[in-house]
Amino acid sequence: MFKKVLIANRGEVALRIHRACKEMGIQTVAIHSTADEDAMNVRLADEAVCIGPPAPKDSYLNKAAILTAANITGADAIHPGVGFLSENADFAEMVEDHGITFIGPSADHMRVMGDKIEAKETAKKLGIPVVPGSDGGVTTDEEAMEIAKATGFPLIIKAAAGGGGRGMKVANSLAEVPEALSICRTEAKAAFGDDAVYIERYLGNPRHIEVQLIGDGQGGCIHLGERDCSVQRRHQKVIEEAPSPAISDEIRAKIGKTVTDAMKKLGYKSAGTIEFLYEDGEFFFIEMNTRLQVEHPISEMICGVDLVQEQIRVAAGEKLSKTQDDIVLNGHSIECRVTAEHPETFMPSPGLISDYHQPGGLGVRVDSHLYTGYSIPPYYDSLVSKLIVHGVSREECLARLRRALGEYVIGGIETTIPLHQKLIEEPDFIKGDYNVHWLEKLMGLK
Ligand code: ADP
């Protein structure tokens, strides 16, 4: 097992990984920018190294600085967390070339799945159902129009390198295709430095259902059931729950097997998530995330598995500590992503936390780096806390969530807690009757 792990991230996820390491008796190294000197993960880590100024490109994306920090502290592994370099195959390769273990999948698997066109091709070959659309990339207007005719309308043009809900453009008719293609390519080039795009049928009322898996690259792969992440704003998840109110035990077992069979064939090692759109009883692959996800705790809560620890163990060369039969889903879990933003306008609200009181009690988990007197820097993602509740039933879970949101005090800044309080009182949400358009429709955005 590793003696010392460098955590190449910040915020709540850095703290989450620190906690997993400590419970395994592993020393931790925090890296941080000059803006994060007072961060909780930096305070708690065994060692901390400042790797640069606030701008992510100079610090959390600065591969050479991070590797240097690993070298000088003698870390034997690097956990990349979520975002930043977590899906950067070149970084994973660089880390391994320096004799340090990258806690994640192989660089090759990251490359294949990082390109959404290649990912779809691979998924198809592995027997995973995909959204109908173009076979590979689309460049010219003529090509796009041909595929559009075959795909039907509405359709969506998506960036191969897309992520974070960016680089997607819907076209409702043939006449809209050339402009949508041109806008999508320009945006993709600007945001991701790659203008490769592809076409998919635009599903009208899908739910976003994703399957959490973990493989050991030695023939073992298990799934931890699904998460329903359909409550979205701008294609970004706001509330997630597990299991999905729309998925039966039978459907879960079937899609779970499809996913684990595919990943065993691929020889996938580490945690990963296969994201699907689910409509009229059918699953359509949209992408695979080759890393830990923000919403991983809800799967942990219902499965009793610490995904980060399992990820560390398989990275160290161990086999999975559990078989599929060991995974028994227990109760229900919901996560609210609390961001430092105005609950109605979504204006960013960084700054000093004047009071902090987090909820507790049975079935309540708060993954957050906040504390009284901490100042949220303005340079990074607005996610400041994940409130995760667990209950024996969905009903108990909702009652607990209502109670926990009511207790939560984050003073001095605006947060989205009032939005979450409102959403969980919506009759459709209470019934579990929502899809990916639900939130935006409710907010009058669609
Ligand atoms: P990203 O990598 O940017 O998160 P995804 O491909 O995972 O992009 O899609 C994010 C969200 O965009 C989905 O959850 C869904 O709401 C919407 N979306 C993507 N593809 C389609 C599609 N073919 N039809 C309908 N909605 C889609």
Side-chain angles (χ1 to χ4, degrees):
M1 186 38 68
F2 307 120
K3 288 197 172 58
K4 199 186 272 186
V5 168
L6 180 140
I7 301 164
N9 216 296
R10 64 175 303 282
E12 67 80 22
V13 77
L15 189 55
R16 164 74 190 88
I17 298 161
H18 167 86
R19 287 173 171 155
C21 291
K22 285 284 104 183
E23 289 178 18
M24 295 173 83
I26 299 170
Q27 299 274 299
T28 60
V29 180
I31 52 148
H32 63 91
S33 72
T34 49
D36 278 334
E37 267 161 10
D38 295 328
M40 187 53 87
N41 66 298
V42 175
R43 292 182 171 198
L44 292 177
D46 296 297
E47 288 167 74
V49 182
C50 180
I51 48 149
K57 69 170 180 23
D58 300 322
S59 49
Y60 299 103
L61 293 174
N62 187 341
K63 302 185 189 104
I66 296 170
L67 258 178
T68 307
N71 271 326
I72 57 172
T73 53
D76 41 17
I78 294 183
H79 195 306
V82 172
F84 294 124
L85 294 168
S86 63
E87 289 181 289
N88 190 308
D90 292 344
F91 179 63
E93 216 159 56
M94 236 170 118
V95 170
E96 296 277 336
D97 285 349
H98 283 77
I100 298 169
T101 304
F102 179 80
I103 302 176
S106 71
D108 285 348
H109 288 162
M110 288 167 79
R111 262 190 204 108
V112 167
M113 294 302 175
D115 178 304
K116 289 186 174 185
I117 296 175
E118 226 182 310
K120 260 184 101 168
E121 289 292 301
T122 310
K124 234 194 294 188
K125 277 191 213 134
L126 292 169
I128 298 176
V130 303
V131 189
S134 58
D135 264 335
V138 176
T139 358
T140 65
D141 284 356
E142 294 69 38
E143 222 182 324
M145 308 275 259
E146 276 313 301
I147 293 157
K149 279 184 213 156
T151 309
F153 293 93
L155 57 79
I156 185 165
I157 305 179
K158 297 169 73 170
R166 291 179 306 159
M168 289 187 250
K169 199 81 204 146
V170 176
N172 292 297
S173 66
L174 207 54
E176 288 179 19
V177 171
E179 197 188 339
L181 178 68
S182 149
I183 293 175
C184 195
R185 292 188 59 160
T186 311
E187 280 179 8
K189 182 81 192 167
F192 312 107
D194 177 2
D195 66 358
V197 300
Y198 61 108
I199 293 180
E200 265 179 5
R201 192 165 99 206
Y202 185 69
L203 303 179
N205 291 302
R207 295 181 83 113
H208 175 117
I209 306 284
E210 56 185 38
V211 179
Q212 174 70 56
L213 61 98
I214 181 147
D216 58 18
Q218 305 180 52
C221 183
I222 57 170
H223 71 85
L224 303 188
E226 81 287 357
R227 295 184 286 258
D228 195 320
C229 312
S230 305
V231 180
Q232 299 180 357
R233 180 180 158 266
R234 295 193 174 158
H235 306 303
Q236 293 275 69
K237 301 157 188 169
V238 176
I239 300 181
E240 302 99 347
E241 62 179 312
S244 165
I247 303 291
S248 66
D249 292 347
E250 202 187 339
I251 298 175
R252 173 176 314 111
K254 197 160 165 240
I255 193 68
K257 184 163 185 325
T258 304
V259 162
T260 48
D261 282 354
M263 290 300 116
K264 279 179 195 165
K265 249 188 256 169
L266 192 65
Y268 188 80
K269 176 174 170 174
S270 198
T273 300
I274 309 255
E275 297 192 338
F276 294 98
L277 294 178
Y278 179 72
E279 192 174 72
D280 299 330
E282 269 188 277
F283 285 94
F284 302 97
F285 171 93
I286 45 172
E287 68 164 337
M288 175 169 184
N289 287 318
T290 53
R291 54 166 169 83
L292 194 69
Q293 283 191 287
V294 171
E295 59 275 24
H296 77 275
I298 54 173
S299 301
E300 296 184 323
M301 300 307 278
I302 61 164
C303 294
V305 172
D306 186 312
L307 259 168
V308 179
Q309 291 192 6
E310 204 66 25
Q311 215 183 8
I312 293 172
R313 278 193 284 269
V314 298
E318 290 183 19
K319 288 195 170 175
L320 286 176
S321 71
K322 300 223 171 4
T323 66
Q324 194 64 57
D325 290 340
D326 295 328
I327 307 299
V328 180
L329 301 197
N330 167 26
H332 200 91
S333 183
I334 304 183
E335 171 180 283
C336 291
R337 293 192 187 198
V338 178
T339 56
E341 291 173 313
H342 188 281
E344 279 157 20
T345 63
F346 298 98
M347 281 288 288
S349 181
L352 185 71
I353 307 293
S354 55
D355 308 285
Y356 186 72
H357 174 79
Q358 70 181 40
L362 183 65
V364 176
R365 164 175 172 183
V366 180
D367 278 19
S368 174
H369 55 299
L370 297 185
Y371 60 88
T372 306
Y374 172 67
S375 194
I376 300 168
Y379 314 103
Y380 312 108
D381 193 277
S382 58
L383 181 72
V384 290
S385 176
K386 303 187 310 204
L387 172 60
I388 303 128
V389 295
H390 179 257
V392 292
S393 63
R394 190 170 186 268
E395 202 185 357
E396 185 181 284
C397 208
L398 279 172
R400 188 156 284 154
L401 184 55
R402 186 175 296 120
R403 188 270 289 169
L405 282 166
E407 280 179 25
Y408 209 167
V409 178
I410 304 178
I413 59 157
E414 298 279 2
T415 76
T416 50
I417 290 174
L419 171 73
H420 290 291
Q421 287 180 302
K422 206 173 115 208
L423 293 181
I424 65 162
E425 300 305 340
E426 285 295 326
D428 288 341
F429 187 78
I430 292 170
K431 275 186 275 171
D433 184 12
Y434 55 80
N435 60 42
V436 298
H437 306 299
W438 177 77
L439 177 57
E440 293 197 343
K441 277 193 188 144
L442 186 79
M443 294 168 74
L445 300 172
K446 265 192 180 160

